[in-house]
Amino acid sequence: MELLDGKLVSEAIKQELTTAVAEIRENGGKVPHLAAVLVGDNPASEVYVNSKIKSCEQVGFRSTLIRRPATISEAELLDLVHALNNDPEVDGFIVQLPLPPHIHEERIMLAIDHRKDVDGFHPINFGRMAQGMPAFLPATPYGIVEMLRRYRIETAGKHCVVLGRSNIVGTPISLLLSRKGYPGDCTVTLTHSRTRNIAEEVRRADIVIAAIGKPCFVQADWVKEGAVVVDVGINRIADPTRKSGFRLVGDVDFESVAPKCSYITPVPGGVGLMTVAALLMNTLKAAKKEIYPN
Ligand code: GUN
């Protein structure tokens, strides 16, 4: 069993991005600038956004964190999105999810200029991705394919079973891995809460992508010997031995599953770090206008 080490790979990517920023500076160009909008005080969102901002600093990007209270109205948040769309200083921005229940996430996502949508959540980016056109790929799926690429994991002809059909992970990674080329050319099964027998589906998988948000859901006897397991889950479970009172576990029961795998991502230290690296890669593309030249 070999770990798919998100720390190692994300650090390598950050090193490459640091070099890219240095080149931009040498050529008198504008340093990439990411803005992040954080609404309310969801502790997990707080951790993720802080990690995104800190990573920007590490690679030399400009970053701006915009905090708003959970009581912000939808109209006010839309105004903020429009201001960021029109701000020539901002290359890309994200609105951290989830948003408070009185705000329609869909309306906010649709309001983001797709040319600045470095999370890849706008339907224009999603549709372009689905058709294999240049697009901002959603950060987590982008991070996963980049991890598979950098570990040279074979994907062609493999059977990939995805758990979870969310718009931000399960559905887009299914599309990406079924597309022509590398990493791709998989036969993909997308499972979800209405799937009859998830364990049976997972047993057929050469590659398992677990993105359902249930702690330690995937069991050892579901996983084929030699499978590649990518664990997208970041779940907090109570742990009285920790000062924080909790610890993080994935959607895979790592202890029992890992010995059966050829490769597996740890939690933490796996996909989460790759998501941040992917967001930075998208921000560089936005600044260089690689996806949308105009
Ligand atoms: N919430 C969970 N993951 C993400 C992400 O990748 N981007 C944003 N904006 N919100 C999230």
Side-chain angles (χ1 to χ4, degrees):
M1 183 275 292
E2 191 179 337
L3 279 185
L4 294 170
D5 188 335
K7 184 157 174 55
L8 198 73
V9 178
S10 66
E11 290 299 333
I13 292 171
K14 284 186 198 172
Q15 199 50 56
E16 293 162 18
L17 292 169
T18 307
T19 306
V21 172
E23 274 169 20
I24 292 172
R25 279 187 192 282
E26 274 167 30
N27 299 329
K30 197 166 73 61
V31 167
H33 180 191
L34 174 75
V37 178
L38 177 56
V39 178
D41 50 13
N42 177 315
S45 292
E46 189 94 24
V47 171
Y48 300 148
V49 170
N50 285 335
S51 143
K52 292 170 186 179
I53 296 290
K54 190 173 142 226
S55 299
C56 281
E57 285 163 12
Q58 283 173 349
V59 301
F61 287 4
R62 252 182 95 184
S63 62
T64 304
L65 172 57
I66 303 167
R67 287 173 180 275
R68 290 292 181 267
T71 51
I72 189 173
S73 70
E74 190 177 280
E76 287 169 321
L77 188 54
L78 284 171
D79 283 346
L80 176 57
V81 166
H82 293 137
L84 290 166
N85 285 343
N86 294 324
D87 184 345
E89 290 292 310
V90 172
D91 296 300
F93 66 98
I94 64 163
V95 178
Q96 186 67 26
L97 304 180
L99 291 169
H102 66 278
I103 296 176
H104 284 88
E105 285 182 351
E106 211 175 278
R107 271 188 214 139
I108 304 300
M109 294 302 125
L110 282 169
I112 295 174
D113 186 331
H114 62 277
R115 293 166 299 184
K116 294 192 176 188
D117 170 36
V118 285
D119 252 337
F121 291 173
H122 193 287
I124 291 179
N125 281 312
F126 196 99
R128 291 176 61 105
M129 172 200 71
Q131 296 194 0
M133 296 162 67
F136 289 117
L137 302 181
T140 299
Y142 186 14
I144 294 170
V145 294
E146 201 56 32
M147 176 91 104
L148 298 176
R149 193 196 320 272
R150 286 172 186 246
Y151 275 90
R152 297 192 168 85
I153 306 283
E154 269 186 58
T155 56
K158 301 290 181 188
H159 186 193
C160 174
V161 173
V162 177
L163 292 86
R165 57 179 157 184
S166 70
N167 286 342
I168 68 175
V169 185
T171 300
I173 193 68
S174 301
L175 287 166
L176 283 174
L177 288 177
S178 61
R179 291 205 57 83
K180 209 184 253 304
Y182 182 78
D185 288 326
C186 288
T187 303
V188 175
T189 301
L190 177 52
T191 69
H192 46 75
S193 53
R194 303 297 295 268
T195 297
R196 290 249 170 82
N197 191 336
I198 291 198
E200 268 315 299
E201 301 295 342
V202 174
R203 281 188 192 107
R204 280 192 282 275
D206 304 304
I207 300 172
V208 180
I209 315 268
I212 37 164
K214 292 189 182 173
C216 305
F217 183 72
V218 175
Q219 303 294 310
D221 67 330
W222 303 11
V223 175
K224 186 160 83 178
E225 202 68 47
V228 175
V229 173
V230 175
D231 189 351
V232 182
I234 303 179
N235 308 289
R236 288 184 175 204
I237 61 165
D239 184 348
T241 68
R242 301 279 177 103
K243 209 169 86 184
S244 62
F246 69 86
R247 69 189 159 92
L248 297 177
V249 298
D251 291 349
V252 175
D253 184 26
F254 185 89
E255 291 301 316
S256 67
V257 170
K260 298 186 78 176
C261 300
S262 56
Y263 294 91
I264 185 169
T265 61
V267 176
V271 173
L273 296 171
M274 293 303 298
T275 297
V276 179
L279 175 67
L280 298 179
M281 291 193 283
N282 275 343
T283 304
L284 178 66
K285 288 182 181 177
K288 290 179 138 184
K289 301 203 185 304
E290 266 179 33
I291 311 275
Y292 301 107
N294 299 300

